[in-house]
Amino acid sequence: MAQKKIYNDDPFRLLGLDHQPALDSIIERYSTELLAYIRNIIIDPELAKEILFDAYQKLWENRKAIAAMERPLAWLYKCARFQSLNVLKREKRRFTIGLDQLTPSQAPGIMENDIDIKELKKEIQAAVNRLPPQMQLVYRLSREEGLNRKQIAEKCKVSESTVKNLITGSLKQIRKFMNSRIKLLLL
Amino acid sequence: MIHQPGYVKELLKKHMERTASAHEEELLMLALDLYEEEELEQMIKEVSDGLPYNDELPEELKRWKPSAREIISRSRISPLKKIRSFISSQRSYATYAATALLAILLAWIFHRPSKLEYACSANTEESALILPGVNKCKLILDNGCAIVVDSSYTGEITRQGNTVLVRLPSGVLEYKSLGRPGQVGQQPVYHTIATSRGACHRILLPNGVKITLNAASSIRFPVDLTSPEYAIELKGEAYFESPQQLNSPWHIITDYARIKVAHADFNVNTYDNRMVSTLSAGELMISTPGDNAMLQAGQQALAGHDEQNGLPGGIKVLSVDTREALSWMGPERIFIHVAMRDFLLEMERRYDLDIVNIDRASHRYFSGTLCNEAPLSELIKLLRANGLHFVQQGNTLIFSKRPQDQEQGLVSSLMPPLHEPVPLGMN
């Protein structure tokens, strides 16, 4: 068919009109640089692909809002960063579970560092235990069970913004507590 | 230590530069819990902005591109979110309108038949995937064997005598002569190439004739060039381009008239109980059992049964702007004063739709342009913007009668003015 590609226009704007070929052209144009960017944070190629896929999926789901943005590409990058961060955290959870199961005899040589990390974890736990009960609950659901704000809000029957405030508050207190304790720890 | 953002940024930098020790990696992982996502995201941004751009990717990753189709099919927005976004979009409109109208607008939002809106918005994802002019056709041999040729095919499809049929990577079906003399005295072998609705295909015949076959159409022709009279039987619509150096004229046979071609570029449309042949270059000879006519470039011939002109058996020649008739192949389809019914019938073919109760659609005329690559969702929007009422279920549009709208002439005011096609599809 003698069809010309007439969409040399801004693909993000066209995307806002549910135009599928626009998504194709965004993928074609930006995939390599986005993958390179994601790989700064996430080394594993399969995970990097997954992150990019998720970022594009979010782009499609929010196309109307993004089309209206001044710098849609910046949004895409931001999304890639967030997704990378999520994967990093998710993988960490997997990773730390494995680490806790290590007995010192299986991991000789890193004893010194091991103590450091373990001490640090203890310090964080101590700080969490000193939080007011509601903050403690929200912090644990978020950081230990890996729930997101929305899920926590539903579980605790409070609004998402309350969850956000509680987390902000608890993080501040934990860091403050650590600040006072670490000096002691390092002595 | 890790409670200080500056320290975490150092760890992140080392992580990104791949110089972090295992111990530092662990510290970083612990630090991820101590900051909010937004803070960490900002840190990542600051650190990576300071790093040199590094596009050293393994070849496999450089080539890897996710498919838009898969992305769209995986993203299904929950109905709840849909309704919410629908309401909020109405609200943003309300702030944009005069404040005094706010109360009225809100009342209108809740009073609105949101069920219908909801039904249509739930389908948006799907209809964004329905594109016109899919490159696909069916090759039918005389013995009844049929091969569906789509983008999964490249290379040789079949061989017939000294001719081989290949599908080029560009999507064209090409007949190539192998240069061996054909065996004389054999029965000529015929091929039929047919497109379904929603499809479209280009074909290059052994004698160099280029054919663009529109949706729901077919051509039947002898594969061997040595046939004494080379004739192509056409149903539906196609555009033909013939090279200048053909030795002998060839023919196109339709149900309504016969066309003799020396060299010419022309369109033949036989969808609607009549043949409309539009010539953009060269000369054509049109004949019916009772009439014949010569056609010059820029002219259009009608034969068969036409509502306006009648013409049983006769041929009528008109001078026209050929762009409208040929626009189905261009970037934009042009419609000039087309009856809504004809417009919808064409859309049925183009998008493989089923239109139920087509007679309930308005009896108005339509002028405008429609992007030939626009997905179905765009067409739906266009129709709704023009005040047509229907329910969409996948590929089916069910029209419902809204007499009050038709009486009030609500539709015509939204129609683009005549003779001044306005791009409605993509703006």
Side-chain angles (χ1 to χ4, degrees), chain A residues 1-7 14 17-21 23-24 27-28 31-33 35-37 39-41 43 45 49 52-53 56-57 60-61 63 78 81-82 85 88-89 92 95 99 113 116-117 120-121 124 139 143 149 164 167-168 171 174-175 178-179 182, chain B residues 1-3 15-16 18 23 26-27 29-30 32-41 44-45 48 53-55 57-58 60-62 64-66 68-72 74-75 77 124-125 128-129 131 200 202 212 328-331 371-373 375 377-378 381 426:
Chain A
M1 185 151 177
Q3 278 181 342
K4 276 191 297 180
K5 287 274 170 215
I6 56 161
Y7 298 115
L14 288 169
L17 302 165
D18 303 334
H19 192 249
Q20 192 208 332
L23 185 58
D24 278 311
I27 291 169
E28 189 58 39
S31 284
T32 311
E33 56 177 277
L35 264 181
Y37 193 77
R39 288 250 304 171
N40 274 340
I41 311 156
I43 303 164
K49 284 183 194 173
L52 185 58
F53 193 97
Y56 282 136
Q57 195 171 323
W60 178 256
E61 284 165 4
R63 59 193 178 277
K78 189 175 184 140
R81 284 195 294 273
F82 262 109
L85 196 61
L88 204 61
K89 285 187 164 194
K92 172 203 73 174
F95 182 63
L99 200 101
N113 289 339
D116 192 1
I117 298 280
L120 212 54
K121 278 186 179 170
I124 295 171
Y139 178 90
R143 298 310 200 246
R149 277 175 204 159
K164 185 180 170 1
I167 291 179
T168 312
L171 291 175
I174 293 168
R175 293 202 298 254
M178 282 174 72
N179 195 23
I182 289 231
Chain B
M1 245 330 205
I2 56 171
H3 59 282
H15 172 83
M16 290 188 194
R18 314 274 192 267
H23 179 61
E26 273 190 63
L27 282 175
M29 293 304 145
L30 273 186
L32 293 182
D33 277 351
L34 297 181
Y35 297 87
E36 287 192 71
E37 277 80 358
E38 287 82 359
E39 292 175 285
L40 289 166
E41 188 269 331
I44 293 174
K45 182 176 188 301
S48 54
Y53 178 68
N54 177 14
D55 65 345
L57 283 175
E60 186 260 334
L61 270 191
K62 264 188 190 162
W64 182 78
K65 302 266 188 301
R69 218 161 247 273
E70 203 184 335
I71 288 166
I72 296 168
R74 280 220 220 147
S75 48
I77 297 179
T124 324
E125 309 290 326
L129 284 171
L131 293 168
C200 182
R202 275 189 292 164
T212 309
W328 65 270
M329 294 180 300
C371 172
N372 271 336
E373 282 186 35
S377 50
E378 278 304 299
K381 254 189 250 166
M426 299 310 302

Side-chain angles (χ1 to χ4, degrees), chain A residues 25-75:
Chain A
S25 75
I26 290 169
I27 291 169
E28 189 58 39
R29 208 186 292 178
Y30 298 114
S31 284
T32 311
E33 56 177 277
L34 278 167
L35 264 181
Y37 193 77
I38 292 165
R39 288 250 304 171
N40 274 340
I41 311 156
I42 303 291
I43 303 164
D44 184 85
E46 288 311 311
L47 287 175
K49 284 183 194 173
E50 183 190 307
I51 290 163
L52 185 58
F53 193 97
D54 286 350
Y56 282 136
Q57 195 171 323
K58 288 218 156 53
L59 172 70
W60 178 256
E61 284 165 4
N62 300 297
R63 59 193 178 277
K64 293 270 184 299
I66 294 158
M69 284 178 185
E70 221 168 283
R71 295 166 62 226
L73 188 59
W75 182 92

